[in-house]
């Protein structure tokens, strides 16, 4: 029996069907949980940092933001130790998107440290608006790939916050609130919305 060649319309229908099945699958539910982990980590860290800076007046408390690397390291280790037997093209694409985004975070930190060594001024304030832009791009691209509207446009809230930070230029305690609220809007709420669409 010969394999039948599928036409362009059938090919698009097949891809759309795969996306629908992926969105409804348990794998996607775990991916939404990852959004919730990062989102809540950002929100909790924002609150802790704001409270600490507000009541102590010590800017060094901003170092608590390095806690955002904890879920990244844990997630990377977990994914390596529990690789699925079958990886779909969409799974691979999403994984590669977030590998690039994760690399951008890491290289930005390295660049800030190297520049700080050369100039004798270690300024991590730029990390906050750039993080909002990076995370927003990754979230929006994920939404486009899986065709989930809740993820596509909400990162604009983070972009607006980032533009405000970059325009203002001076890092202060209010940035912590902006950062946490941005993650609430473009990561936590959309993840809950998308997760609730999946039937058990």
């Amino acid at each position: 029996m010969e394999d039948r060649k599928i036409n362009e319309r059938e090919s698009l229908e097949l891809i759309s069907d795969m996306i629908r099945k992926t969105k409804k699958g348990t794998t996607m539910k775990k991916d939404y949980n990852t959004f919730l982990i990062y989102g809540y980590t950002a929100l909790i860290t924002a609150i802790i940092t704001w409270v600490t800076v507000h009541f102590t007046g010590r800017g060094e408390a901003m170092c608590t933001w390095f806690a955002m690397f904890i879920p990244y390291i844990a997630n990377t280790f977990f994914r390596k130790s529990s690789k699925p037997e079958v990886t779909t093209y969409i799974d691979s694409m999403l994984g590669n998107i977030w590998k690039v985004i994760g690399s951008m975070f890491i290289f930005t930190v390295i660049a800030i440290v190297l520049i700080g060594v050369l100039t004798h001024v270690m300024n991590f304030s730029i990390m906050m608006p750039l993080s909002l832009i990076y995370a927003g791009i990754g979230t929006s691209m994920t939404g486009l790939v899986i065709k989930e509207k809740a993820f596509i446009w909400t990162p604009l809230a983070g972009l607006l916050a980032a533009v405000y930070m970059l325009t203002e230029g001076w890092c202060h305690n209010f940035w912590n609130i902006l950062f946490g609220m941005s993650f609430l809007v473009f990561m936590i709420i959309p993840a809950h919305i998308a997760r609730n669409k999946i039937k058990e």
Side-chain angles (χ1 to χ4, degrees):
M1 181 178 168
E2 292 183 7
D3 291 335
R4 185 175 70 86
K5 291 183 179 180
I6 59 174
N7 58 38
E8 187 178 342
R9 183 180 61 81
E10 290 173 324
S11 178
L12 289 172
E13 286 176 357
L14 181 62
I15 292 168
S16 297
D17 187 52
M18 286 175 64
I19 291 171
R20 279 194 298 272
K21 286 178 180 176
T22 300
K23 285 172 70 177
K24 292 178 181 177
T26 54
T27 302
M28 205 62 232
K29 197 163 191 175
K30 289 177 183 175
D31 288 337
Y32 294 144
N33 288 345
T34 302
F35 276 99
L36 292 176
I37 290 167
Y38 281 105
Y40 279 115
T41 301
L43 183 60
I44 292 166
T45 304
I47 293 169
I48 291 171
T49 308
W50 183 87
V51 169
T52 306
V53 172
H54 181 74
F55 287 103
T56 67
R58 297 182 66 85
E60 293 87 347
M62 297 292 278
C63 289
T64 54
W65 280 111
F66 283 104
M68 288 302 297
F69 283 103
I70 295 172
Y72 175 75
I73 294 166
N75 190 48
T76 302
F77 177 77
F78 176 76
R79 283 187 182 273
K80 281 183 180 179
S81 62
S82 59
K83 275 192 173 182
E85 291 182 13
V86 178
T87 302
T88 65
Y89 176 73
I90 292 172
D91 290 335
S92 178
M93 186 185 293
L94 292 176
N96 288 330
I97 286 171
W98 285 102
K99 277 180 187 175
V100 171
I101 298 298
S103 298
M104 289 166 71
F105 278 103
I106 292 168
F107 285 126
T108 301
V109 170
I110 292 170
I112 290 171
V113 170
L114 291 176
I115 292 168
V117 169
L118 293 172
T119 62
H120 305 290
V121 178
M122 200 75 71
N123 184 5
F124 279 96
S125 63
I126 193 73
M127 191 71 201
M128 197 172 283
L130 288 180
S131 295
L132 284 174
I133 293 169
Y134 298 162
I137 291 170
T139 302
S140 189
M141 288 176 72
T142 298
L144 289 168
V145 169
I146 64 173
K147 298 187 184 299
E148 181 55 65
K149 291 180 182 178
F151 285 114
I152 296 173
W153 297 109
T154 50
L156 287 176
L159 178 62
L160 288 173
V163 169
Y164 166 76
M165 292 175 185
L166 291 169
T167 302
E168 192 176 44
W170 177 62
C171 179
H172 54 85
N173 206 14
F174 182 59
W175 283 23
N176 293 308
I177 299 300
L178 275 179
F179 194 93
M181 290 301 104
S182 296
F183 268 71
L184 174 67
V185 170
F186 75 73
M187 202 166 271
I188 296 174
I189 293 173
H192 278 297
I193 291 171
R195 198 176 185 281
N196 289 336
K197 290 180 183 177
I198 299 174
K199 295 179 181 179
E200 298 289 347

